[in-house]
Amino acid sequence: MSQFTDAYARSFYYLRLSVTDVCNFRCTYCLPDGYKPQGTRNKSFLSLDEIRRVTRAFAAAGTEKVRLTGGEPSLRRDFTEIIAAVRENAAIRQIAVTTNGYRLARDVRDWRAAGLTSINVSVDSLDARQFHAITGQDKFHQVMAGIDAAFEAGFSKVKVNSVLMRDINSHSLDTFLQWIRTRSIQLRFIELMETGEGSDLFRRQHISGEVIRDQLLMQGWQRQPRGRSDGPAQVFRHPDYLGEVGLIMPYEKDFCASCNRLRVSAIGNLHLCLFGEGGIPLRDLLASDQQQDELQARIALSLGQKKQTHFLHQGNTGITQNLSFIGG
């Protein structure tokens, strides 16, 4: 099977695979009222065998990196087994997880032993009270202990995701930079994105990542080149800091030109874009190992529908009703 490629000559090396829609946090910008099932029971999320088959198909078509997302992926009791199933594919060089971190301290050694190579933890504030107010959970110290546990388990770097919000953390750059001065953490500021349910929040809290980028450049931070299976972050380094800063700015011109990633939802739908109008069902082709050729053919054909860009600038958020769909 040749490399998955779309009509704009973009090649797809990176799969973001959701393994559950459930999350136990109630972040103000994502699930302020908590998780509510959308007619989907836990048992109908992709099974271990289905995950094995879909990642095998992507690996055979050039995918080098798989990110396991949710919801909160560690809520799956078989999450360690899921990592091991993805690890079976020799072509997959990177297996990452995006997590809220509440189970890191307990499970991170097992995840690493199963084959996990990279961790992203969501931390929007370094103030414990503000963290509680944002997430609805008084677990700041537990998450921080989890990050320490990841280093102790042998991870050389941990990525930390912070959704950039005008009144919450846009003025906290110096605090974050002090935190990463002596820690091998890549701090990633993600611009708040408009969703169907979050228009009011977006208007109140959105601030461009350019504000952070300008501050970094003034302080001597330098932008780094991007690898072909890297995510969308612009990464900056400074000789005086062990850590790095990443900026994810989906509203910037040409953001989609370097798109290298596809998404599969927890119920087995292929999403060509986070803000697309719908998903392409794959689950009927995940029932047996003999369906791999047909599965790859459907994915390859679907790529002909992938648009050149999202339409966020026009306020078109597609079917994305809240940021839980992003999956990290």
Side-chain angles (χ1 to χ4, degrees), residues 26-293:
R26 302 187 302 277
C27 295
T28 54
Y29 55 82
C30 183
L31 294 173
D33 299 321
Y35 170 75
K36 291 180 172 55
Q38 302 293 318
T40 302
R41 297 182 182 275
N42 289 20
K43 65 179 181 181
S44 67
F45 295 137
L46 290 174
S47 69
L48 189 60
D49 281 339
E50 289 172 322
I51 289 169
R52 184 176 281 111
R53 290 179 186 122
V54 74
T55 53
R56 185 185 301 145
F58 272 88
T63 295
E64 301 173 349
K65 177 179 180 179
V66 173
R67 177 173 299 282
L68 301 170
T69 71
E72 171 49 43
S74 69
L75 290 176
R76 289 269 307 236
R77 293 181 180 179
D78 58 351
F79 185 61
T80 302
E81 288 75 23
I82 290 172
I83 297 169
V86 179
R87 180 72 277 166
E88 292 172 8
N89 300 291
I92 304 296
R93 301 176 191 172
Q94 299 180 62
I95 305 174
V97 62
T98 296
T99 175
N100 60 31
Y102 93 110
R103 280 191 170 158
L104 264 181
R106 189 190 76 178
D107 293 338
V108 69
R109 288 188 179 277
D110 291 339
W111 298 350
R112 181 169 172 79
L116 194 71
T117 64
S118 180
I119 294 175
N120 287 44
V121 186
S122 298
V123 180
D124 298 305
S125 174
L126 295 178
D127 178 271
R129 288 174 296 180
Q130 192 172 55
F131 180 95
H132 189 178
I134 294 169
T135 64
Q137 295 282 358
D138 187 14
K139 296 187 184 296
F140 174 77
H141 298 291
Q142 184 174 333
V143 173
M144 291 294 107
I147 293 173
D148 290 340
F151 286 119
E152 291 165 6
F155 288 91
S156 59
K157 179 192 296 183
V158 174
K159 296 180 180 179
V160 170
N161 295 344
S162 292
V163 175
L164 188 59
M165 292 176 282
R166 182 181 301 277
D167 298 332
I168 305 298
N169 54 19
S170 67
H171 305 294
S172 303
L173 179 61
D174 289 343
T175 302
F176 278 108
L177 292 183
Q178 284 303 314
W179 185 50
I180 68 170
R181 182 182 286 275
T182 59
R183 295 175 178 86
S184 184
I185 288 173
Q186 184 184 105
L187 174 66
R188 296 146 56 88
F189 287 109
I190 305 171
E191 276 189 13
L192 182 66
M193 290 171 267
E194 186 174 8
T195 63
E197 295 173 352
S199 294
D200 290 343
L201 179 71
F202 177 81
R203 285 190 290 270
R204 292 196 316 270
Q205 295 292 356
H206 178 263
I207 182 170
S208 172
E210 293 177 4
V211 173
I212 302 296
R213 183 170 62 191
D214 290 346
Q215 293 179 59
L216 292 173
L217 293 174
M218 286 179 59
Q219 295 179 34
W221 291 75
Q222 296 185 333
R223 187 171 171 180
Q224 304 301 301
R226 183 174 178 270
R228 71 180 188 179
S229 58
D230 287 348
Q234 298 177 23
V235 176
F236 296 80
R237 291 181 185 158
H238 191 291
D240 296 339
Y241 291 78
L242 189 58
E244 304 170 334
V245 178
L247 298 176
I248 298 177
M249 300 188 291
Y251 291 89
E252 187 169 58
K253 184 177 181 293
D254 297 329
F255 176 80
C256 298
S258 60
C259 184
N260 62 354
R261 56 207 173 276
L262 297 169
R263 299 168 186 269
V264 172
S265 74
I267 57 172
N269 291 335
L270 173 68
H271 293 270
L272 303 176
C273 176
L274 169 61
F275 293 98
E277 290 295 340
I280 296 101
L282 301 180
R283 201 163 196 178
D284 59 305
L285 299 179
L286 298 177
S288 81
D289 294 342
Q290 281 65 53
Q291 295 174 292
Q292 181 169 314
D293 289 347

